[in-house]
Amino acid sequence: MNIVVCVKQVPDTWAEKRLTAGDSTLDRESVDSVMNELDEYAVEEALRLREAHGGEVTVLTMGPERAVETIRKALSMGADKAVHLCDEALHGSCAVQTSYALATVLGTLEWDMVLCGTESTDAGMSVLPAMLAERLGRPQLSSARTVHVEGTTVRIERQTETGHEVVEGSMPVVVSVVEKINEPRYPSFKGIMAAKKKPLTTLTAADAGIAAERVGLAHALSSVVSFADRPPRAGGTIVRHDGDGGVRLAEFLAAQKFI
Amino acid sequence: MAEILVLVDHVDGTVTKLTTELLTTARALGEPAAVFCGAGYDVARARLAEYGARTVHIAADPDLDSYLVAPKVEVLAQLLAERSVAAVLIGSTVEGKEVAGRLAVRTGSGLLTDVVDLDADLVAEQPAFGGSTAVRSTVRTGTPIVTMRPNSTTPVPAPETPVEQQLTLALPEAAKGARVVERVRERRSGRPPLAEAAIVVSGGRGVGGAEGFAVVEQLADALGAAVGASRAATDAGWYPHQHQVGQTGVSVSPQLYLAVGISGAIQHRAGMQTSKTIVAVNKDPEAPIFELADFGVVGDLFEVLPQLTAEIEKRKG
Ligand SMILES: Cc1cc2nc3c(=O)[nH]c(=O)nc-3n(C[C@H](O)[C@H](O)[C@H](O)COP(=O)(O)OP(=O)(O)OC[C@H]3O[C@@H](n4cnc5c(N)ncnc54)[C@H](O)[C@@H]3O)c2cc1C
Ligand SMILES: Nc1ncnc2c1ncn2[C@@H]1O[C@H](COP(=O)(O)O)[C@@H](O)[C@H]1O
């Protein structure tokens, strides 16, 4: 079973994120970057499925040159090879365009399953896996907290706001996983050394057959008009509980008309 | 006037508050047309009329509930092809965003998610980076597809007698790829749903165990609030995962959020820091949650909460 895992490089979780004044895109230059935390679970699940069912795990990322750091991390966790879609023309693409670009690359690869995280932590919309399923015309098995493969059928437990659903589809499928699914491994020293020798294909948009007028900031289907930092929350009142903390809190809530 | 399509979010026909918010927003933008998919329209009818739907497009085919997400996209795509539609409004839930994303791809339209305000020119306000930045964006291509967060607006009734239109659709095979084999609904508590509640009381690792959540629930009931939890609490199995607030749980934006025994990790903040008023109870004065709090009590939650609950009951008389 061959799996492609889609991973994204994002600013470090703790970094203060900002938009760039010039073109209202995320400032990726001034912050440390990491693999999107939620994609680590997707990589881990791919590795576990490979351990159980054989096949190859390919990492796919679309992002600037430095996103190769994230690719290397996935390879040192144990993925077999990687494809890096990297082109200045892709900068500022909206979600609809990103899904087009990734689906185009996926069209040139062989896979039984595409695995994604549920959301990118930068300005993620949690829409990409569904969009890929739509573009590829394959079953959408999203928000999985478990994934089972039996023959050519993939069955997931989908976490929902009211409980869960059991959903199944026939391969090839598009799956996204939630963070409850596993505990991602840390790359071992051996893994880090091995990663350096693993095949990495870097593609420009043209290499991948992506039409230039369908990607990038200038052609985005939606755009930012303006943005502003929210004023930081004004410092509140902090009291120590000296036997009356509950009463003082009740007074605050009453003054605010909550009770 | 062009239609504003509103995809009805419902559970067996019980229409969510979020849907009434979408209808309220839609009325200010054009002619609101509700789109009802699945079984249960008889239950939904009165509420959709009360909130001013001029038209209701009803797709009652049982297949709509048998397959994940894709059939709803077919319904909306068909309506977009046949009618003059100015915008599509969908609730910013996990499934709502998936429907919206696929519809945007299908129709070549721009997509805006997690919107908290939509003005008459269809310029949307979206909180970014957990609420530290407010972005205003707009769709440039196609029919704007917009998902709106719960609690973005106050629902206001405006009774109408809607025209009901039955939709027949032939689902293509591609829409039947993801079969729903089973749907498990966890027990309803009688408390308001987390995402739409005006007040949320959340417990974290400090609550110490499943039994500890009793003091959280008692406070929630005194306030008429929903109960939330941090990931530490849901992962430990102290409270069901559907109640997790945060980046990988539910995003909430209530009038009042009380964080109890929660440290305020960045992933937790991502799901609650746009709340109007924030209150924290924590025994550690250094806990980062206090940076967000309008009012904080440094103390043991097992002393502070029962006292607060008793005081609320006393004031209610
Ligand atoms: C990919 C990823 C996604 C995540 N998504 C989420 C998410 O969606 N939601 C989420 O919440 N977390 C999420 N997390 C986890 C997050 O990083 C924190 O680990 C988690 O929020 C901590 O929960 P907590 O505040 O309850 O526990 P802790 O950080 O352990 O804090 C417990 C607090 O309780 C206080 N306390 C203890 N006893 C008492 C007492 N008797 N009275 C008063 N106070 C007391 C302590 O002082 C402490 O501040 C995610 C993490 C990752 C890596
Ligand atoms: N630029 C990208 N390259 C590769 N995968 C991506 C990219 N953007 C998003 N994804 C995948 O799509 C998932 C959801 O992302 P999003 O819709 O941006 O929140 C992520 O967890 C990734 O698995």
Side-chain angles (χ1 to χ4, degrees):
Chain A
M1 179 167 104
N2 293 322
I3 302 176
V4 179
V5 196
C6 296
V7 302
K8 185 179 185 186
Q9 187 174 53
V10 298
D12 181 33
T13 314
W14 293 97
E16 206 164 300
K17 287 156 236 172
R18 304 200 161 280
L19 296 178
T20 338
D23 65 2
S24 302
T25 61
L26 182 61
D27 178 358
R28 296 180 191 278
E29 296 299 313
S30 63
V31 290
D32 286 342
S33 295
V34 294
M35 183 193 300
N36 181 32
E37 267 179 320
L38 298 170
D39 296 345
E40 292 184 22
Y41 299 85
V43 174
E44 177 64 34
E45 198 58 22
L47 299 176
R48 292 184 187 193
L49 288 167
R50 183 190 64 190
E51 280 152 20
H53 304 280
E56 270 193 328
V57 174
T58 306
V59 179
L60 169 60
T61 197
M62 161 173 149
E65 250 161 63
R66 64 189 288 195
V68 75
E69 298 156 15
T70 283
I71 289 184
R72 217 164 272 138
K73 166 146 191 198
L75 292 175
S76 42
M77 285 172 77
D80 298 294
K81 52 185 184 177
V83 177
H84 184 184
L85 177 61
C86 179
D87 197 319
E88 193 44 42
L90 298 163
H91 173 78
S93 292
C94 69
V96 178
Q97 295 173 309
T98 301
S99 71
Y100 159 70
L102 288 173
T104 306
V105 178
L106 285 166
T108 67
L109 303 173
E110 275 189 36
W111 45 272
D112 304 296
M113 182 186 291
V114 172
L115 258 174
C116 296
T118 33
E119 182 183 4
S120 1
T121 59
D122 44 2
M125 300 161 72
S126 303
V127 291
L128 218 93
M131 286 178 155
L132 289 178
E134 174 73 32
R135 291 209 184 262
L136 298 163
R138 298 308 309 167
Q140 170 194 327
L141 305 177
S142 50
S143 293
R145 64 181 192 198
T146 61
V147 178
H148 290 286
V149 177
E150 245 180 73
T152 56
T153 302
V154 180
R155 181 177 307 118
I156 65 154
E157 238 176 66
R158 167 179 164 91
Q159 188 163 301
T160 68
E161 276 122 346
T162 51
H164 75 267
E165 294 165 342
V166 179
V167 189
E168 62 177 35
S170 302
M171 285 197 273
V173 292
V174 179
V175 176
S176 75
V177 301
V178 298
E179 97 293 351
K180 303 266 185 245
I181 196 165
N182 58 39
E183 200 49 62
R185 68 193 69 186
Y186 289 103
S188 65
F189 179 71
K190 222 177 106 201
I192 293 170
M193 297 314 289
K196 297 185 175 149
K197 300 195 191 74
K198 290 180 176 172
L200 163 63
T201 312
T202 307
L203 301 176
T204 63
D207 292 340
I210 291 165
E213 72 283 1
R214 293 184 65 183
V215 290
L217 191 62
H219 312 110
L221 286 75
S222 54
S223 64
V224 171
V225 180
S226 65
F227 65 90
D229 286 345
R230 285 266 180 78
R233 295 186 85 96
T237 310
I238 312 294
V239 303
R240 193 169 283 279
H241 172 64
D242 281 322
D244 64 347
V247 174
R248 294 180 68 182
L249 181 44
E251 280 161 6
F252 170 79
L253 295 179
Q256 303 283 317
K257 307 255 184 303
F258 289 114
I259 45 180
Chain B
M1 205 177 357
E3 277 185 338
I4 308 290
L5 295 184
V6 171
L7 180 62
V8 177
D9 180 32
H10 68 96
V11 181
D12 300 329
T14 303
V15 173
T16 58
K17 177 165 157 257
L18 176 54
T19 305
T20 63
E21 293 167 9
L22 297 180
L23 285 168
T24 303
T25 301
R27 292 201 312 258
L29 302 173
E31 199 168 295
V35 182
F36 186 92
C37 296
Y41 179 62
D42 285 344
V43 180
R45 174 184 275 126
R47 198 121 194 255
L48 299 177
E50 183 188 354
Y51 284 89
R54 292 273 196 88
T55 315
V56 185
H57 301 287
I58 306 159
D61 191 322
D63 267 1
L64 279 159
D65 291 324
S66 312
Y67 305 98
L68 199 67
V69 177
K72 292 180 182 159
V73 179
E74 297 296 330
V75 171
L76 291 168
Q78 186 173 328
L79 288 168
L80 280 175
E82 288 170 358
R83 309 183 67 93
S84 154
V85 175
V88 182
L89 304 188
I90 301 178
S92 227
T93 59
V94 169
E95 186 182 289
K97 291 207 251 184
E98 293 176 341
V99 172
R102 296 185 69 137
L103 185 64
V105 164
R106 174 72 66 87
T107 58
S109 297
L111 167 69
L112 303 171
T113 60
D114 298 292
V115 169
V116 295
D117 185 55
L118 192 60
D119 74 14
D121 300 322
L122 297 176
V123 176
E125 184 183 325
Q126 302 163 290
F129 314 137
S132 60
T133 303
V135 178
R136 286 163 55 77
S137 351
T138 183
V139 164
R140 300 198 301 192
T141 307
T143 309
I145 318 270
V146 179
T147 75
M148 299 204 59
R149 287 247 181 118
N151 283 340
S152 299
T153 186
T154 309
V156 182
E160 269 284 345
T161 309
V163 179
E164 296 175 355
Q165 304 222 319
Q166 301 289 335
L167 266 171
T168 43
L169 91 160
L171 273 190
E173 281 310 306
K176 298 183 180 177
R179 301 177 290 277
V180 179
V181 184
E182 197 187 346
R183 261 200 186 98
V184 181
R185 295 221 173 92
E186 320 279 328
R187 184 175 45 89
R188 295 276 301 269
S189 63
R191 296 190 185 92
L194 189 52
E196 10 183 278
I199 303 181
V200 175
V201 185
S202 289
R205 200 193 306 275
V207 170
E211 327 73 54
F213 264 91
V215 295
V216 175
E217 290 186 334
Q218 282 153 11
L219 174 58
D221 290 341
L223 288 165
V227 174
S230 72
R231 179 173 168 202
T234 59
D235 274 4
W238 301 346
Y239 221 70
H241 72 80
Q242 309 89 272
H243 294 264
Q244 182 173 316
V245 171
Q247 178 173 70
T248 49
V250 182
S251 283
V252 299
S253 196
Q255 296 298 318
L256 173 63
Y257 187 84
L258 294 100
V260 179
I262 290 177
S263 62
I266 199 155
Q267 296 93 348
H268 187 79
R269 293 176 181 216
M272 48 66 72
Q273 67 186 356
T274 57
S275 304
K276 306 286 177 306
T277 300
I278 296 174
V279 168
V281 178
N282 196 305
K283 66 181 184 191
D284 174 8
E286 305 294 322
I289 191 75
F290 285 125
E291 293 163 17
L292 297 182
D294 297 290
F295 195 90
V297 180
V298 179
D300 187 338
L301 71 95
F302 291 103
E303 290 177 25
V304 177
L305 257 58
Q307 189 180 64
L308 172 59
T309 305
E311 185 67 20
I312 293 169
E313 299 295 356
K314 198 170 95 193
R315 285 171 187 251
K316 285 203 291 197

